[in-house]
Amino acid sequence: MSVGPLSQVHISVGDVDRSVEFYRDVLQIPFLFRVPGQPMAFFQSGDVRLYLGVPETPDFAGRVTLYFRVDDLDAEHARLSGRGVEFLDGPHLVHRDEVTELWMAFFRDPDGNNLALTSERPPTRVG
């Protein structure tokens, strides 16, 4: 027996309203719900639920790095740049083998959590 697939990720935030605007309106990740009276908001990213919340205790505070798969990295990079997202770098090649190339571009959310767009492409034929 082993653990099952990842179902939810907690993202520590300082201001839930500001984070909801960023994840919902800028990144356009489907918003699920807020918990009334609690600093919590939930989003659906593929099969994984994202839980944005103000940590109840320092033991649950932390930073994450989330990698969001996109079909067209250049187009999504341009779309988010147009919405005010400041990227730490442009789309760049991370790994290449005979089957695929892995490309990424990194940025941060309003609380400084590292986020990345990732895309796999057919390998570029060199020479």
Side-chain angles (χ1 to χ4, degrees):
M1 184 174 199
S2 66
V3 299
L6 187 64
S7 65
Q8 180 169 291
V9 174
H10 175 264
I11 303 168
S12 296
V13 302
D15 181 329
V16 174
D17 292 331
R18 178 185 68 188
S19 294
V20 165
E21 288 178 12
F22 180 77
Y23 282 81
R24 181 192 62 210
D25 301 339
V26 176
L27 299 184
Q28 297 183 326
I29 297 172
F31 174 74
L32 294 174
F33 60 92
R34 296 225 20 201
V35 177
Q38 298 291 320
M40 305 170 156
F42 294 85
F43 292 81
Q44 192 67 47
S45 181
D47 292 336
V48 178
R49 188 172 46 225
L50 302 180
Y51 160 24
L52 279 57
V54 176
E56 293 180 28
T57 68
D59 293 337
F60 285 93
R63 298 226 183 271
V64 298
T65 301
L66 300 176
Y67 297 81
F68 294 101
R69 183 175 40 239
V70 297
D71 292 328
D72 186 335
L73 179 59
D74 297 320
E76 191 62 10
H77 180 268
R79 183 186 76 79
L80 291 178
S81 293
R83 295 185 68 86
V85 172
E86 294 183 24
F87 280 82
L88 304 175
D89 53 18
H92 61 279
L93 179 66
V94 173
H95 174 75
R96 175 187 291 131
D97 60 30
E98 300 80 29
V99 179
T100 190
E101 292 180 351
L102 177 60
W103 288 73
M104 294 186 184
F106 287 86
F107 59 106
R108 292 197 175 104
D109 75 4
D111 288 280
N113 291 298
N114 292 306
L115 306 176
L117 302 177
T118 70
S119 182
E120 292 186 3
R121 303 175 180 173
T124 305
R125 300 291 177 223
V126 181

